[in-house]
Amino acid sequence: MRTGRKTTRAIVRTPGPNAEIGLTTASLGKPDFDKLLEQHKAYVEALQGLGVQVTELPHLPEFPDAYFVEDVAVLYQDTVIITRPGAESRRHEIDHILGALVESPEILTIDAPGTVDGGDVLIHEDTAYVGLSERTNLPGGHQLKEILRDHGLLVQMVPVGEGLHLKSSVNSVPGALLIAPDFLDHPAFLGKSKIPVHPDEVYAANAVTISDTVLFPAGFPKTARKLESLGIALQFMETSEIQKMDGGLTCLSLRFFD
Ligand code: CIR
């Protein structure tokens, strides 16, 4: 199945040995650093294997969560919106991403008192869904709404409730939204084609589409079978160490499309 959106370029950041002191609500134990590096490397190789030009930034000793690079910017066409991350400990990660984005024709910012994490922003077809969460507040959501509306997108606000970010629960796959059961009936998604993840496999909603292939977390066979039966190509990624830090496959990269 084709999406028509080719992923051309991505920015990632290598995790550092300080990853274990990052923020997390998961009770899955500390990540094994070597394994985390291995899983991250496999992710980068998967992107490259799918024809994506990857810029890999070095780890930041003072910011243990900075490899969740998606949270510091929202990319749409030629516009970059530098966010204002909701967690105080992550706020200054933005100072270290600008260098990789300076060539973008338009760079905008989210300003105080607004907060936005990129993990709360999902662009699917003609609509931007903005999750209101513990990280993205209403003032931040409104600033983003104005910007994205000016860029021709419809914007829908979605209260996130449980879960860290909107994209912990809803993501774009070819032809549909891959969506956790709790979000299925939300009016924001009315009329959209939806593929529910199996109720036992809610983490599997955090999958990322690269051109026409979905990078999909290994270990969620019921949802995987459903996607494959619909003709969606999956590439399985190990995510055990990333999960321990509340992360998923979307948050490991900032992605540009043609
Ligand atoms: C955090 O709590 O900020 C990180 N430990 C995990 C961020 C995951 N980001 C994402 O899902 N977009």
Side-chain angles (χ1 to χ4, degrees):
M1 199 179 280
R2 290 190 53 78
T3 57
R5 285 174 94 201
K6 187 169 159 35
T7 316
T8 51
R9 196 155 83 75
I11 297 172
V12 301
R13 187 182 291 286
T14 314
N18 56 355
E20 66 174 40
I21 59 163
L23 300 171
T24 190
T25 57
S27 331
L28 298 169
K30 284 188 189 296
D32 174 307
F33 181 52
D34 290 337
K35 223 164 148 188
L36 176 63
L37 279 182
E38 226 172 78
Q39 292 178 356
H40 191 267
K41 182 164 176 272
Y43 179 83
V44 170
E45 287 170 356
L47 293 175
Q48 289 168 333
L50 293 166
V52 179
Q53 184 207 323
V54 180
T55 303
E56 189 155 4
L57 305 175
H59 89 87
L60 297 174
E62 65 278 36
F63 296 107
D65 282 309
Y67 61 105
F68 296 117
V69 76
E70 177 186 61
D71 291 322
V72 295
V74 174
L75 311 183
Y76 181 63
Q77 296 177 340
D78 285 341
T79 300
V80 165
I81 305 151
I82 302 292
T83 65
R84 184 165 180 269
E88 187 68 51
S89 67
R90 301 197 59 189
R91 198 143 295 160
H92 291 285
E93 288 178 19
I94 59 171
D95 306 341
H96 302 269
I97 199 69
L98 270 171
L101 294 169
V102 285
E103 283 170 20
S104 304
E106 183 179 40
I107 302 183
L108 304 172
T109 54
I110 299 296
D111 301 314
T115 62
V116 169
D117 274 15
D120 276 317
V121 187
L122 169 66
I123 297 175
H124 176 71
E125 298 171 348
D126 57 355
T127 306
Y129 299 95
V130 178
L132 297 175
S133 68
E134 283 189 12
R135 300 292 177 86
T136 297
N137 65 13
L138 202 54
H142 280 309
Q143 289 177 38
L144 196 59
K145 183 171 180 170
E146 297 244 315
I147 295 170
L148 295 174
R149 228 176 24 192
D150 285 353
H151 287 73
L153 285 166
L154 299 171
V155 181
Q156 293 271 11
M157 302 282 200
V158 187
V160 169
E162 302 263 309
L164 181 61
H165 290 127
L166 178 64
K167 283 191 281 191
S168 311
S169 304
V170 189
N171 281 287
S172 183
V173 295
L177 289 166
L178 179 63
I179 187 161
D182 283 358
F183 289 77
L184 257 181
D185 296 326
H186 192 286
F189 304 114
L190 205 73
K192 293 288 174 190
S193 187
K194 284 168 266 189
I195 305 172
V197 298
H198 191 281
D200 299 341
E201 299 185 343
V202 173
Y203 181 81
N206 198 329
V208 61
T209 299
I210 304 298
S211 302
D212 297 320
T213 299
V214 177
L215 300 187
F216 189 80
F220 302 95
K222 294 171 189 155
T223 308
R225 268 199 301 275
K226 188 190 288 180
L227 289 163
E228 286 176 329
S229 74
L230 293 168
I232 295 175
L234 303 184
Q235 186 165 336
F236 294 98
M237 308 299 314
E238 295 297 335
T239 60
S240 61
E241 306 316 294
I242 299 155
Q243 280 188 55
K244 289 176 182 172
M245 301 315 295
D246 276 350
L249 294 169
T250 57
C251 44
L252 295 178
S253 58
L254 279 167
R255 300 165 296 281
F256 299 80
F257 303 93
D258 66 4

